[in-house]
Short mmCIF file of all heavy atoms in Angstrom, two decimals:
data_model
loop_
_atom_site.label_atom_id
_atom_site.label_comp_id
_atom_site.label_asym_id
_atom_site.label_seq_id
_atom_site.Cartn_x
_atom_site.Cartn_y
_atom_site.Cartn_z
N ASN H 754 -22.57 15.22 -12.05
CA ASN H 754 -23.80 15.65 -12.72
C ASN H 754 -25.06 15.02 -12.12
O ASN H 754 -25.99 14.67 -12.83
CB ASN H 754 -23.71 15.38 -14.23
CG ASN H 754 -24.66 16.26 -15.03
OD1 ASN H 754 -25.05 17.33 -14.57
ND2 ASN H 754 -25.04 15.80 -16.20
N ASN H 755 -25.05 14.83 -10.80
CA ASN H 755 -26.19 14.24 -10.10
C ASN H 755 -26.26 14.87 -8.70
O ASN H 755 -25.36 14.62 -7.89
CB ASN H 755 -26.02 12.73 -10.03
CG ASN H 755 -27.17 12.05 -9.31
OD1 ASN H 755 -27.52 12.40 -8.18
ND2 ASN H 755 -27.74 11.04 -9.94
N PRO H 756 -27.29 15.67 -8.42
CA PRO H 756 -27.35 16.37 -7.12
C PRO H 756 -27.30 15.45 -5.90
O PRO H 756 -26.64 15.76 -4.92
CB PRO H 756 -28.68 17.12 -7.18
CG PRO H 756 -28.95 17.29 -8.64
CD PRO H 756 -28.39 16.06 -9.30
N SER H 757 -27.97 14.31 -5.98
CA SER H 757 -27.98 13.39 -4.84
C SER H 757 -26.59 12.80 -4.58
O SER H 757 -26.13 12.75 -3.44
CB SER H 757 -28.99 12.27 -5.10
OG SER H 757 -29.00 11.36 -4.03
N ASP H 758 -25.93 12.37 -5.66
CA ASP H 758 -24.57 11.84 -5.51
C ASP H 758 -23.61 12.92 -5.02
O ASP H 758 -22.75 12.66 -4.18
CB ASP H 758 -24.06 11.27 -6.84
CG ASP H 758 -24.74 9.96 -7.22
OD1 ASP H 758 -25.34 9.31 -6.34
OD2 ASP H 758 -24.66 9.59 -8.41
N ALA H 759 -23.77 14.14 -5.54
CA ALA H 759 -22.89 15.24 -5.12
C ALA H 759 -23.06 15.53 -3.63
O ALA H 759 -22.09 15.77 -2.92
CB ALA H 759 -23.17 16.49 -5.95
N GLU H 760 -24.31 15.46 -3.16
CA GLU H 760 -24.57 15.68 -1.73
C GLU H 760 -23.92 14.59 -0.90
O GLU H 760 -23.25 14.87 0.11
CB GLU H 760 -26.08 15.72 -1.48
CG GLU H 760 -26.47 15.98 -0.04
CD GLU H 760 -26.06 17.36 0.46
OE1 GLU H 760 -25.99 18.32 -0.33
OE2 GLU H 760 -25.80 17.47 1.68
N ASP H 761 -24.10 13.33 -1.31
CA ASP H 761 -23.48 12.21 -0.58
C ASP H 761 -21.96 12.33 -0.57
O ASP H 761 -21.31 12.11 0.46
CB ASP H 761 -23.87 10.87 -1.22
CG ASP H 761 -25.34 10.51 -1.00
OD1 ASP H 761 -25.99 11.16 -0.15
OD2 ASP H 761 -25.82 9.59 -1.69
N LEU H 762 -21.38 12.67 -1.71
CA LEU H 762 -19.93 12.80 -1.82
C LEU H 762 -19.40 13.97 -0.98
O LEU H 762 -18.30 13.89 -0.42
CB LEU H 762 -19.51 12.96 -3.28
CG LEU H 762 -19.64 11.69 -4.12
CD1 LEU H 762 -19.58 12.01 -5.61
CD2 LEU H 762 -18.56 10.67 -3.75
N THR H 763 -20.20 15.03 -0.88
CA THR H 763 -19.81 16.18 -0.05
C THR H 763 -19.72 15.75 1.41
O THR H 763 -18.73 16.02 2.09
CB THR H 763 -20.83 17.33 -0.21
OG1 THR H 763 -20.84 17.74 -1.58
CG2 THR H 763 -20.48 18.50 0.68
N ILE H 764 -20.74 15.04 1.86
CA ILE H 764 -20.77 14.56 3.25
C ILE H 764 -19.59 13.61 3.50
O ILE H 764 -18.91 13.69 4.53
CB ILE H 764 -22.12 13.90 3.57
CG1 ILE H 764 -23.22 14.97 3.55
CG2 ILE H 764 -22.08 13.17 4.91
CD1 ILE H 764 -24.63 14.41 3.50
N GLU H 765 -19.35 12.70 2.56
CA GLU H 765 -18.22 11.77 2.69
C GLU H 765 -16.89 12.51 2.76
O GLU H 765 -16.01 12.13 3.55
CB GLU H 765 -18.17 10.81 1.50
CG GLU H 765 -19.17 9.68 1.56
CD GLU H 765 -19.04 8.76 0.35
OE1 GLU H 765 -17.93 8.62 -0.20
OE2 GLU H 765 -20.06 8.19 -0.06
N ALA H 766 -16.72 13.53 1.92
CA ALA H 766 -15.46 14.28 1.90
C ALA H 766 -15.19 14.94 3.25
O ALA H 766 -14.07 14.87 3.78
CB ALA H 766 -15.48 15.33 0.79
N PHE H 767 -16.22 15.56 3.83
CA PHE H 767 -16.04 16.19 5.14
C PHE H 767 -15.78 15.14 6.21
O PHE H 767 -14.95 15.34 7.10
CB PHE H 767 -17.23 17.07 5.49
CG PHE H 767 -17.17 18.42 4.86
CD1 PHE H 767 -17.91 18.69 3.72
CD2 PHE H 767 -16.36 19.41 5.37
CE1 PHE H 767 -17.84 19.94 3.12
CE2 PHE H 767 -16.28 20.66 4.77
CZ PHE H 767 -17.02 20.93 3.64
N GLY H 768 -16.46 14.01 6.11
CA GLY H 768 -16.22 12.93 7.08
C GLY H 768 -14.79 12.45 7.03
O GLY H 768 -14.14 12.30 8.06
N LYS H 769 -14.28 12.22 5.82
CA LYS H 769 -12.89 11.78 5.68
C LYS H 769 -11.92 12.84 6.18
O LYS H 769 -10.94 12.52 6.86
CB LYS H 769 -12.57 11.45 4.21
CG LYS H 769 -13.16 10.14 3.76
CD LYS H 769 -12.75 9.80 2.34
CE LYS H 769 -13.32 8.46 1.94
NZ LYS H 769 -12.88 8.04 0.61
N ALA H 770 -12.19 14.09 5.84
CA ALA H 770 -11.30 15.17 6.28
C ALA H 770 -11.27 15.25 7.80
O ALA H 770 -10.19 15.36 8.40
CB ALA H 770 -11.75 16.49 5.68
#
Side-chain angles (χ1 to χ4, degrees):
N754 202 24
N755 180 307
S757 179
D758 288 342
E760 181 65 30
D761 290 347
L762 288 164
T763 299
I764 293 165
E765 282 181 30
F767 279 100
K769 284 184 178 184

